[in-house]
Amino acid sequence: MSDVAARIDAIEIGGRRLRVTETGQGPVLIHLAGARGSGLIPAHALLARRFRVLVFESPAPLSVGAAEPPEALAEGLAAATQRLGIEAFDLLGTSAGAPAAVALARHARERVRALVLEAPLLLDPARRDEALEHRLGELTVPTLVLLGTEDTVLPGAVGRAYKALIPGSHLVFVYAAGHAIAADRPEAFAEVVGDFLERHEAFVVSRARSVILP
Amino acid sequence: MVTSGLVKVSFFETARYCTPRPLPAEWPVASGGYEAEAGAAAYRGMIERLRCVEQMGFDWLSVSEHHYSPRILTPSPIVAAAFLAAHLERITIALLGPIVPHSNPVRVAEELAMLDTMTAGRLVVGLLRGTANEAMTYDLNPQEARDRTDEGMALILKAWTEPEPFGWQGRHFQYRTVSIWPRPRQQPHPPTFALGTSRESLQFAARHRLGCGVSYGPFEVMGRATRYYREECARHGWAPAPEQILYRANMLVAETDEAAHALLRAQSAQAPFSMRAGVRDAVAALDARNIAGEARSAVVTGALPTTFIGSPDTVVEQVRRCREAIGAGVIDLSLHPPGAADLAPLTRALDLFGSKVLPRIREI
């Protein structure tokens, strides 16, 4: 990542210091990357052309089996970003970062412009969580859910549950991507995420150029 | 190897365009040489012939996709199938099949869903990459054909089975909001085959629980491909039924073995789609093919082999051997070379097959 300007910092959240990596310019995109932490990947460089991307590490569990409740993390992030002078932002939740992203989209709904869930570890097909389904149903932010067609962690059938629960949401399958969609297909990831964040539901209208020769 | 269970028999229909005028052999054949009356007769004759085929008790009829030549007059197997479905009440219609890499996979999914619904669930689908010459039909780069086929097949399956509108962020295909109406009548989708002997196609079939289809080659060679397929299926935790393995082949059946071999000698030795040497070489260089991983040429030099040949007794025995060697529960038969000028031998072969071979295949 030597050609991408990046700043690494630490943010005080709920009495703990979380690392955050920042790159790019433009509207703010907050990325809760789950287990991958705050390191940058090529997809971030692509998004950094249009967005000021802040990648937050997930807090380590306070003790074995006691993961940080997403609501607490969401409140801490909302306050921390306010202290940084960030008013409105786009939000990307990846894998285990998805619960906190959903919580933040609920908690700070006036400030979150759009939400992207990348291979979310949230709905469990094996057991229904009606409270979670209710919370998803209350989301008011434009939402895009991404699933990789080769994801061996999440079954492809879970996508339809998110689409059905989250009002006005969009579901996109990323072909030949596993659970780590952005890592497997950075350009494909950046294109659909960038387009959705820019245009929300209008992203279904193609702007692709098909002229082969003038 | 499973050797019990009935063998299903399919009739490979090529919409026989016959004309006394000699036609050029080089592909593509000039469109200006087409005669409207011969074309109309081809499609009328197709219906008459298939009514007999249905009467005789064939399990399936099949149509393929080939372009720019009178040899097989079905550039759209889907249009052919819709026409046939309106004229034939009972027989299963197998599309073997849509050439995926030069198609719009979502449109293929929609049209097959329409067909499956219009035929009340009598559809079977074979998806394939296509013969080497077909890359030139719609300006497809042969080097991209394999990847486009794999992605296209995955997208067709998704379009058939995903109940919510979805986007597809692919390498070769991109859509934002797919949601097909109608949906297939057969659920989760019509019986579907990935056709081809390549490792990639057999792996795809095994992964997605599709059937596999192999064609024309000797039983032992085709058997290597289907054995690989069954191993891959086992790796994915399932075993295919016999009717999920299909073998398309040429058959020459006559009253005696000698008569059948005489028919073979009288046939043209020419390759089915003769391309100019420079074109053929360019295609071969760009179009890498394999049989279960062993490299083979994309371009067929010379006529396709005939692996069922002889008297009814001989042919029945060959079908039994084929069942053992390949494990195919479906054989899809061409009884007379496509593009032949005279149809009388086809009628004779059909009568002989229907009366002396088909009833005995039931007992294999």
Side-chain angles (χ1 to χ4, degrees), chain A residues 41-132:
Chain A
I41 55 174
H44 290 128
L46 293 170
L47 288 168
R49 295 177 191 165
R50 298 156 70 178
F51 299 92
R52 177 184 163 204
V53 184
L54 281 79
V55 190
F56 284 81
E57 80 171 320
S58 284
L62 296 167
S63 60
V64 172
E68 181 96 29
E71 287 74 18
L73 180 56
E75 283 173 31
L77 283 166
T81 49
Q82 204 121 55
R83 286 198 303 276
L84 286 173
I86 294 169
E87 254 316 304
F89 54 91
D90 295 309
L91 186 52
L92 166 63
T94 294
S95 186
V102 169
L104 181 52
R106 283 168 52 83
H107 177 79
R109 70 188 63 206
E110 345 64 58
R111 296 170 60 206
V112 177
R113 284 187 297 254
L115 172 65
V116 179
L117 299 176
E118 175 194 3
L121 289 181
L122 199 53
L123 287 171
D124 178 355
R127 50 174 211 96
R128 280 195 67 181
D129 182 342
E130 292 192 19
L132 169 60

Side-chain angles (χ1 to χ4, degrees), chain A residues 128-167:
Chain A
R128 280 195 67 181
D129 182 342
E130 292 192 19
L132 169 60
E133 291 178 12
H134 186 74
R135 291 199 298 277
L136 289 172
E138 289 188 328
L139 282 171
T140 55
V141 63
T143 302
L144 169 67
V145 176
L146 298 176
L147 289 181
T149 59
E150 311 301 305
D151 191 332
T152 53
V153 175
L154 292 174
V158 79
R160 67 193 66 153
Y162 289 106
K163 177 93 177 79
L165 285 166
I166 303 175

Side-chain angles (χ1 to χ4, degrees), chain B residues 1 9 14 25 68 101 134 137-138 155 197 255 264 266 269 286 292 308 338:
Chain B
M1 175 87 54
V9 184
T14 57
Y68 301 177
E134 293 297 349
T137 296
Y138 297 152
L155 178 50
T197 51
E255 293 288 350
L264 181 62
L286 290 171
F308 297 107

Side-chain angles (χ1 to χ4, degrees), chain B residues 114-150:
Chain B
M114 287 178 72
L115 265 180
D116 197 39
T117 304
M118 290 167 173
T119 60
R122 287 186 289 143
L123 192 66
V124 167
V125 176
L127 301 172
L128 76 163
R129 174 183 171 169
T131 51
N133 68 299
E134 293 297 349
M136 288 171 280
T137 296
Y138 297 152
D139 238 65
L140 168 70
N141 181 341
Q143 287 179 312
E144 295 192 343
R146 182 73 252 161
D147 287 347
R148 291 180 69 100
T149 301
D150 285 353

Side-chain angles (χ1 to χ4, degrees), chain B residues 29 48 113 139 248 300 358:
Chain B
V29 180
E48 286 167 26
D139 238 65
R248 164 175 285 174
V300 177
L358 186 54

